[in-house]
Amino acid sequence: MQPDAPPLPEIDFATARAMLEWQIELGADEAMLDAPLNRYELPVPVPAKAVAAPAAAEEAPLPASAPVHAVDPVAVAETLAAGAQDLAELAAAMAAFEHCELKRGARNFVFADGNPHARVLILGEAPGREEDLEGRPFVGPAGQLLDRMLAAIGLSRTAPDPAAAVYITNVLPWRPPGNREPEPAEIAMFRPFIARHIELVDPEIVVLMGNPACMAALGQRGILRLRGHWAEAFGCPALPMAHPAHLLRNPAAKREAWADLLALRARLDG
Ligand code: URA
């Protein structure tokens, strides 16, 4: 605490615990700093010129009545994504994208993991706590289950051989607070980046893990209905599957997940 901060009122254990639980319910499940910081008193950041708007829109003078932030994040994302010539450029463009508020609360940008030459690309949801800390997708409990599921059909994110490898990325590269589901506007603004990501990796098959991935790729949710049915997404055959986090909460759903893994293996072998 700062030396000149007023003394904290004394509170009993039960009240302190109730206040902490309330914070956690709101999604504030981690201490970021030792002392409170009033973010309303910070200067408003000026958006970086390179990502403020597509060049043509930037040059057009705005009418006097136009709101200052009349930038369409989806249009900006489309321009940035189209300009990325390889995965490194795409990662740099996404990391510089300033129109998603999640960036301000996240510790790390989480782009992808695995072999970019893999036959299979897995599209997850968003980083959780462990992924946010490490800057890599699927490294927490759901990721460990995912690794075991993939190993059961001879696939791995560390395999150098593209035939046995997977490439893993998420709908969002920033952790949503409290691990809430991505909002439709967030999915919409990252969709151009996902499309370009898949175009650059050019996999044979895309696996859509959970509802947000199905929303981004197919414009539909209802994973328990969609799972196991081959679809087409971003020009590739796509297999919706239950998310491993769902399987951790509902072990009975592992039987269907196993059937979906076998369908994936059969398609790769066929
Ligand atoms: N869940 C996801 O969908 N992605 C991650 O990276 C981690 C957990």
Side-chain angles (χ1 to χ4, degrees):
M1 211 185 0
Q2 289 156 9
D4 53 352
L8 290 173
E10 290 222 345
I11 50 174
D12 60 74
F13 175 80
T15 310
R17 188 186 166 113
M19 287 168 75
L20 262 180
E21 284 173 352
W22 181 66
Q23 297 273 352
I24 290 168
E25 272 172 33
L26 291 177
D29 57 359
E30 275 186 76
M32 307 299 282
L33 301 166
D34 291 335
L37 174 66
N38 187 347
R39 293 191 183 272
Y40 292 104
E41 286 176 359
L42 297 177
V44 177
V46 180
K49 206 164 191 259
V51 297
E58 222 175 35
E59 281 156 21
L62 286 175
S65 58
V68 178
H69 293 294
V71 171
D72 174 4
V74 177
V76 177
E78 279 167 356
T79 305
L80 289 173
Q85 297 308 308
D86 56 30
L87 291 173
E89 285 186 16
L90 184 68
M94 288 173 67
F97 182 69
E98 294 294 341
H99 300 280
C100 178
E101 284 302 313
L102 297 176
K103 178 175 183 179
R104 284 170 250 301
R107 293 194 183 189
N108 275 304
F109 169 68
V110 180
F111 183 64
D113 196 17
N115 185 337
H117 305 293
R119 294 176 72 190
V120 178
L121 180 146
I122 293 176
L123 183 64
E125 179 175 329
R129 185 175 178 280
E130 287 83 1
E131 291 78 18
D132 183 43
L133 287 172
E134 211 173 296
R136 267 198 318 136
F138 280 105
V139 291
Q144 288 157 22
L145 175 58
L146 176 63
D147 285 339
R148 291 198 297 277
M149 290 162 62
L150 294 170
I153 55 165
L155 299 177
S156 155
R157 70 171 98 187
T158 55
D161 175 6
V166 295
Y167 182 82
I168 303 178
T169 186
N170 281 314
V171 170
L172 303 183
W174 311 107
R175 181 192 181 195
N179 297 343
R180 66 155 171 77
E181 263 207 16
E183 291 173 356
E186 292 163 348
I187 295 178
M189 70 176 85
F190 279 100
R191 200 175 177 281
F193 292 121
I194 300 165
R196 184 73 182 131
H197 206 153
I198 294 176
E199 194 177 18
L200 288 169
V201 174
D202 194 20
E204 282 173 44
I205 292 173
V206 175
V207 177
L208 306 170
M209 287 284 182
N211 273 321
C214 290
M215 269 312 291
L218 308 174
Q220 296 183 57
R221 47 186 298 129
I223 187 63
L224 300 182
R225 174 177 47 86
L226 296 169
R227 61 139 284 277
H229 299 285
W230 286 93
E232 196 187 302
F234 306 108
C236 296
L239 182 64
M241 283 189 62
H243 193 285
H246 173 80
L247 302 179
L248 287 174
R249 291 190 299 269
N250 304 278
K254 286 184 183 170
R255 176 197 286 259
E256 288 169 340
W258 177 236
D260 298 344
L261 287 170
L262 292 179
L264 172 60
R265 184 68 261 172
R267 184 109 182 192
L268 286 167
D269 293 341

